[in-house]
Every structure is written in C-alpha cells, then in structure tokens.
Amino acid sequence: MKKEVFYGKGMAKVKEDEPELYQAIVGLNDAVWNGKALDYKTQKLIAIGIAASNGDSRATEKQIKSAKKELDVSYDEVVDVLRVVLLTSGMQPFNKALQIANKVFEE
C-alpha cells in the first residue's frame, strides 16, 4: 500500500509547521490509496496516466519511478497506459511521457 511519501517541495515544512494539516493530508492519502475496488498497482497506473495526460514531466517521472520500485511495474504496462494517453490527450503528452518512461527503464 502507499507509503507516506509526498513529492511536493513544501510538505516537509507543512509537516513541521502545520502538523494538523499534515495529518489531514496523510488521511486523504490513505483514503485515496485504499484499494477497495482497484488494487494499488492499478491505481498507480492510473496516476501515471493522469500525470502524463496533464503533461507534467516531474509528476510523470515520479509516478513511473515509484511504480517501478514499489510495485515492479513493467515497461510494457507503462506503455499500455501511455497508449490511452495518446488516444485521450494526444501525441505531445504521449511523446513526452514515453521519453520519460524510456529514461526511467534504462536506469
């Protein structure tokens, strides 16, 4: 299941300065990644698709890296997700995300 890892640059400061807000964010994180109907791997693949569709290179890379590390997600699984990105969001987000996937899986 999802660990308490937040990639936002300001989260360490929120944790220190606003512990109640930080705990609320942790609670939301736990509620989202709960795997009631979809397992965590499927949820993570959806997150990759959303980040890629938004054209957010940083988030796409972070999602792919954590999926590979935590869940042993394969390159082919990521490419399947990116095919949906191509269909729904177009060539530019697809190409950008595919370049990121290639880089992550070459490491």
Side-chain angles (χ1 to χ4, degrees):
M1 200 47 75
K2 177 74 174 152
K3 297 176 189 156
E4 189 178 309
V5 176
F6 301 106
Y7 295 111
K9 293 179 180 180
M11 288 305 294
K13 185 133 177 76
V14 170
K15 185 175 184 178
E16 182 181 317
D17 295 347
E18 301 287 341
E20 289 178 5
L21 176 59
Y22 183 80
Q23 286 307 312
I25 294 168
V26 169
L28 177 61
N29 189 60
D30 291 344
V32 168
W33 299 107
N34 67 15
K36 284 186 177 180
L38 298 175
D39 63 15
Y40 178 42
K41 185 174 184 177
T42 302
Q43 290 177 316
K44 181 59 93 169
L45 290 168
I46 291 168
I48 291 168
I50 291 169
S53 291
N54 287 335
D56 187 336
S57 297
R58 183 175 180 273
T60 301
E61 184 173 353
K62 296 285 187 183
Q63 290 294 339
I64 293 172
K65 280 183 175 181
S66 68
K68 181 182 173 193
K69 180 180 177 183
E70 296 173 24
L71 301 164
D72 200 29
V73 167
S74 72
Y75 177 80
D76 290 338
E77 289 171 313
V78 172
V79 171
D80 278 353
V81 168
L82 298 182
R83 288 178 184 159
V84 177
V85 171
L86 173 62
L87 180 65
T88 60
S89 299
M91 187 62 76
Q92 187 174 8
F94 169 79
N95 278 332
K96 185 186 286 189
L98 187 59
Q99 289 173 9
I100 293 166
N102 288 335
K103 178 183 140 196
V104 168
F105 281 92
E106 287 172 359
E107 295 175 349

